[in-house]
């Protein structure tokens, strides 16, 4: 699964001022990723505001990205939920021909036990026509996939190929790296600890800031993978202030503000999300101007 080593981007869904999908901006954003070193694109994740898109809008986003990408980068599709039976049906009935893998978040709100999490992914693995990347993000799901559970899933199901680890706990990430099989992908889901996780033996990142600063961020990750620690950290510390900024008032409002500062899209988000404050917009603009 070398195609998922490096920097993947959890791409936004740009909106017009009328809150419709901005197809032109989305095409240009995909082109920007291709031209600036991103290794793969994650489609319809939470950063893409998938929770507020209609079924027809999701199809529009998928088709737009597939067309703009034109086979150049691997594509990963976000399909997750907290109703296992409904998710099994979605896995079976979704056209996945253009996608290389599925990113599936751990069930949210239900707060399943570790055994419940295991059985959930077992059911998905049994029907999935594409490799699965687990997604652990306790801050959003209210439950944590423990390293021992990831190891069990990695060992028992050959089509579960990796985990996006976004617990924000570098100690847990290191334990995870030490437990799973060597070829199992441990991917950071937290931009700020992406480099430390890579240096600890991880395989890269699924990033938010990466789409705003694709050239610099992807180069930082590649340097980390090559063991060029000083060069990698030089880029990390240059980029780090922007990571704090884009998450200060929520995702994807922050990254959309940064992309707006670069004239890549409008800063529009859909309720219940709102745009970042004027003060933060000014700080983000100042960062972009001097980067």
């Amino acid at each position: 699964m070398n195609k998922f080593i490096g920097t993947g981007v959890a791409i936004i869904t740009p909106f017009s001022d009328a809150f419709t999908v901005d197809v032109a901006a989305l095409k240009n954003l995909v082109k920007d990723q291709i031209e600036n070193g991103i290794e793969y694109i994650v489609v319809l994740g939470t950063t893409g505001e998938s929770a507020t898109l209609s079924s027809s809008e999701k199809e529009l986003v998928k088709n737009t990205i597939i067309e703009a990408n034109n086979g150049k980068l691997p594509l990963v599709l976000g399909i997750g939920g907290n109703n296992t039976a409904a998710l099994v049906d979605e896995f079976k009935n979704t056209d996945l021909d253009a996608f290389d893998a599925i990113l599936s978040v751990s069930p949210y709100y239900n707060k399943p036990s570790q055994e419940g999490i295991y059985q959930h992914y077992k059911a998905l693995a049994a029907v999935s026509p594409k490799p699965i990347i687990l997604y652990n993000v306790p801050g959003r799901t209210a439950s944590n996939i423990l390293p021992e559970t990831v190891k069990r899933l990695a060992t028992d199901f050959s089509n579960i190929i990796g985990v996006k680890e976004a617990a924000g706990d570098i100690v847990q990430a290191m334990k995870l790296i030490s437990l799973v099989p060597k070829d199992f992908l441990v991917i950071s889901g937290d931009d700020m600890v992406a480099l430390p996780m890579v240096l600890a033996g991880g395989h890269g990142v699924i990033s938010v800031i990466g789409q705003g600063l694709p050239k610099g961020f992807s180069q930082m990750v590649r340097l980390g993978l090559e063991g060029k620690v000083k060069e990698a950290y030089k880029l990390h510390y240059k980029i780090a202030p922007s990571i704090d900024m884009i998450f200060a008032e929520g995702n994807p409002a922050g990254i959309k503000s940064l992309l707006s500062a670069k004239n890549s899209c409008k800063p529009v988000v859909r309720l219940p999300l709102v745009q970042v404050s004027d003060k933060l917009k000014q700080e983000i603009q100042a960062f972009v101007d001097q980067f």
Side-chain angles (χ1 to χ4, degrees):
M1 291 289 99
N2 288 343
K3 65 180 73 175
F4 303 122
I5 293 176
T7 301
V9 155
I11 203 159
I12 64 156
T13 301
F15 295 129
S16 70
D17 287 328
F19 299 99
T20 58
V21 176
D22 188 336
V23 170
L26 183 54
K27 287 181 179 179
N28 287 334
L29 188 57
V30 171
K31 182 181 177 183
D32 197 40
Q33 309 310 300
I34 294 167
E35 293 177 349
N36 285 285
I38 295 301
E39 274 78 28
Y40 60 100
I41 294 173
V42 177
V43 182
L44 293 178
T46 47
T47 298
E49 293 177 78
S50 55
T52 66
L53 296 176
S54 68
S55 296
S56 61
E57 286 173 330
K58 288 179 181 179
E59 289 303 309
L60 175 60
V61 167
K62 285 192 290 185
N63 291 334
T64 299
I65 293 172
I66 291 166
E67 179 187 344
N69 183 55
N70 195 27
K72 293 182 175 69
L73 298 181
L75 299 178
V76 177
L77 181 62
I79 307 179
N82 60 352
N83 180 339
T84 306
L87 209 52
V88 164
D89 287 340
E90 188 172 355
F91 269 55
K92 288 179 178 178
N93 296 314
T94 300
D95 181 359
L96 297 168
D97 286 348
F99 295 93
D100 297 86
I102 295 168
L103 178 68
S104 194
V105 69
S106 181
Y108 42 81
Y109 192 80
N110 305 24
K111 297 181 73 173
S113 66
Q114 294 302 301
E115 183 62 26
I117 291 170
Y118 175 88
Q119 293 296 334
H120 171 82
Y121 283 116
K122 178 181 178 180
L124 300 184
V127 300
S128 181
K130 297 287 181 174
I132 297 171
I133 300 171
L134 314 174
Y135 182 12
N136 184 37
V137 57
R140 289 184 180 268
T141 64
S143 65
N144 184 22
I145 313 178
L146 295 178
E148 293 81 4
T149 303
V150 176
K151 177 188 177 183
R152 190 178 168 201
L153 288 164
T155 303
D156 291 354
F157 306 104
S158 61
N159 61 342
I160 296 181
I161 63 166
V163 59
K164 178 184 176 183
E165 173 58 34
D169 183 342
I170 192 65
V171 175
Q172 176 167 298
M174 291 170 69
K175 183 175 183 182
L176 180 58
I177 291 164
S178 74
L179 286 179
V180 296
K182 188 177 181 180
D183 60 349
F184 186 82
L185 300 169
V186 179
I187 301 165
S188 175
D190 184 326
D191 286 335
M192 194 63 86
V193 300
L195 181 56
M197 277 185 64
V198 164
L199 295 174
H203 297 85
V205 60
I206 293 176
S207 174
V208 176
I209 193 61
Q211 65 200 294
L213 306 171
K215 189 173 183 178
F217 195 81
S218 64
Q219 178 65 7
M220 178 199 77
V221 174
R222 280 190 293 273
L223 287 168
L225 288 166
E226 293 166 6
K228 297 177 179 177
V229 179
K230 288 184 179 179
E231 298 95 324
Y233 266 114
K234 184 177 180 180
L235 277 171
H236 169 86
Y237 287 120
K238 184 179 181 183
I239 293 168
S242 70
I243 298 173
D244 283 335
M245 289 177 196
I246 66 164
F247 289 106
E249 295 181 13
N251 181 48
I255 187 61
K256 282 192 168 182
S257 181
L258 187 144
L259 288 164
S260 175
K262 294 179 64 180
N263 297 313
S264 297
C265 71
K266 294 182 180 294
V268 178
V269 291
R270 284 181 173 174
L271 289 170
L273 303 181
V274 295
Q275 294 183 35
V276 302
S277 64
D278 288 341
K279 180 177 182 293
L280 184 54
K281 283 181 183 178
Q282 292 166 8
E283 292 172 0
I284 290 171
Q285 184 69 62
F287 175 88
V288 168
D289 290 343
Q290 60 82 38
F291 184 76

